[in-house]
Amino acid sequence: MEFVIEKKKIDKWLDDLKKDFKVIDIRGKALPAKQYFLPPKQKTFVFNKKTKKLSCPEYKKEFLVFGLGLADLEAMTQLDEIMEKPYSDFFYWQKRNKSLIIGLVDESIEVAPGGDVILEKITDQQYRALILTDKGKAIIKDEFFDKKDKPSIKNYPQPDNPFKRMLLDSELLAEAVKWSLNHKIWDKLGEQCLGCGICTYVCPLCHCFSIEDQVSLDNKECSRCRQWDACTLPEFSKVAGGHNFHKTIKQRYYNWFYHKFVRAYHEYGKSQCVACGRCRENCPAGIKISEVLKEIVDDYKKHLSAI
Amino acid sequence: MTTKNIYQPFKIKIDKIEKHSRDVKLFRLVGDFSKNKDGTVFMPGQFVLASHFGYGEAPFGIASSPYQDSYIDLIIRKTGILTSALHQLKAGDEIFMRGPYGNGFPVDFISGKDLVMVTGGCGIPPIAALIEYINAHRDRFGRVYLIYGARTPADLLIKDKLKQWEDKIKVLLTVDKPAKDWSGYVGMVSELVDEIKIDSLDAVAAMCGPGPMIDALEKILRPLGISDRRIFVSMERKMQCGIGKCQHCVVGDKYVCQDGPVFYYDQIDKSWG
């Protein structure tokens, strides 16, 4: 039995869901879905200076994030894994446990990468619902979805993405990036990169953060805020007293790659990249990550065949 | 389902503050610390994240005895916003804390062996905790040396402790700029090696730096014949979360907050700096 929704009914379904949830439609947004679970800035604790009491803001409202594509769904599954290890991240799960994730995918799906429900395109006018969790099941209403035994299903092949193919061999990527420490490409990138951090902000998997206190203007309370940080920014590894463990852009850029392709492989068995292309689209210096990786991997292969 | 909030700090009272040098103070924080089954409240080399609301949170190595369950000592140099704010506090004030975090020195491995400890200036806290641990059952360890360096004699911290420890371990003090009445050593000099009598095949070193580290390594530890695998180093890095999430303290594949702060030297020598 399949649940099929007409394309034109999707927006009405979303309107209906608004009765029970705060609905966030992320189609066309520059920042990825991580922003709703790991916000750019959030208060983690609030200290009242008068009562000397410490409180932790509670998050109560259920919400639904709609419109994630395949890469973003996969990223959310990975981010869940990251936020569970080595300890459960309280503030992430506080929001994540109150949320539903709905994918909208215009290509035929081989393996459902994550989320609660995925709407998969089956004809030019129709999507079928792939229900992945009980929470997801509860929002599939007869009013919007037709039950069909054997709906007609057209094949919409995923466009060929060489970058994505490269990610399949994450072991090779890990070896290549580790090997590349003294590669000339890092000098080039050290010159080219502005160290602005945009690539990490738009990345659906980058999750570095810093913790900073903020005092209200009336001086009545202090908030401990957790906010996005970026390992490419100059102060990322600088300690009080002034010593900076990653002084140059080159060092910081390599460290970023090392995290995504080497450390992530050692920790999780895969690269922390889903080939979504946001870093490439948004880099003001025009750095194309996929091409950087390709150059490193090609040279590594040459190096291997030369031994 | 409620998840435990790993970031939750708890309130802790300052019992007393001692001024130890021009810009360093010792803070004694009182509380009821729960003991582990071996009777310690933390492992020497572990750290806490101490915070003062409005000024931030930062990691500090614990300097008191791991067997002391009614207080812990933090030795804090005034360097940034948080430490400056802490320096303005008085006995009776309250701050916040979470931890202890990190691995600590491998005391079971060190047990039965000779030990040379090297540190400088504000690197003393984790080493001090290690000495207190050793002195609590001195017979379990071989010959024990502390080489403690500072810029000037006035920059040597916890002087009363240094005096007290002399009964049980050999304390060697060295400064870069001696004062007139200084009778100790000047710099991390090779003469220090002559003072140290150890069985180099069964000896371990513990350091907390980075100050005198490289010098000490070249001029003292290597000439003594201690292998890199047996040199344990407590590392300093920027930390925000303390629990392996925020990525600030990472060196290669290691999280200084979780896998460290104590590493053996050949784990980290290539990524030093």
Side-chain angles (χ1 to χ4, degrees), chain A residues 184-194 249-250 253-254 257 287-289 292 296:
Chain A
K184 60 183 185 313
I185 197 164
W186 301 114
D187 291 304
K188 206 173 91 190
L189 288 165
E191 299 265 308
Q192 203 181 347
C193 171
L194 309 177
I249 291 190
K250 178 185 156 184
Y253 210 89
Y254 179 75
F257 262 64
I287 296 173
K288 298 179 178 71
I289 302 292
V292 172
I296 292 170

Side-chain angles (χ1 to χ4, degrees), chain B residues 151-153 175-182 184-186:
Chain B
R151 236 163 43 81
T152 72
V175 296
D176 294 335
K177 286 183 186 152
K180 264 188 199 147
D181 55 348
W182 179 248
Y185 293 89
V186 179

Side-chain angles (χ1 to χ4, degrees), chain B residues 103-259:
Chain B
N103 58 356
F105 287 103
V107 288
D108 290 338
F109 180 78
I110 299 172
S111 165
K113 302 183 177 69
D114 292 340
L115 172 67
V116 181
M117 290 169 279
V118 188
T119 190
C122 267
I124 193 72
I127 298 291
L130 179 59
I131 294 170
E132 297 287 358
Y133 181 93
I134 289 166
N135 288 349
H137 17 71
R138 184 63 188 86
D139 54 322
R140 284 193 213 161
F141 297 84
R143 286 159 286 194
V144 179
Y145 296 86
L146 166 68
I147 302 171
Y148 181 36
R151 236 163 43 81
T152 72
D155 292 311
L156 288 164
L157 308 171
I158 50 172
K159 291 195 183 75
D160 50 336
K161 288 272 181 190
L162 297 173
K163 207 94 238 109
Q164 202 184 309
W165 290 337
E166 277 175 356
D167 294 343
K168 292 188 170 179
I169 66 166
K170 177 86 177 159
V171 177
L172 301 163
L173 303 177
T174 174
V175 296
D176 294 335
K177 286 183 186 152
K180 264 188 199 147
D181 55 348
W182 179 248
S183 56
Y185 293 89
V186 179
M188 278 295 163
V189 286
S190 16
E191 292 110 82
L192 281 160
V193 176
D194 304 332
E195 289 290 327
I196 297 169
K197 307 277 175 266
I198 51 162
D199 172 4
S200 61
L201 291 177
D202 207 20
V204 178
M207 298 206 278
C208 182
M213 200 94 62
I214 303 297
D215 244 20
L217 196 75
E218 294 304 329
K219 290 186 183 148
I220 298 162
L221 300 180
R222 291 224 164 104
L224 281 170
I226 303 174
S227 81
D228 284 4
R229 198 51 60 114
R230 288 195 165 188
I231 298 173
F232 294 92
V233 180
S234 174
M235 301 243 283
E236 184 201 14
R237 278 295 183 281
K238 180 163 177 164
M239 286 178 196
Q240 300 282 288
C241 73
I243 45 165
K245 290 235 180 279
C246 77
Q247 306 293 324
H248 284 267
C249 71
V250 166
V251 181
D253 288 322
K254 303 283 180 206
Y255 291 80
V256 174
C257 66
Q258 288 275 302
D259 304 316

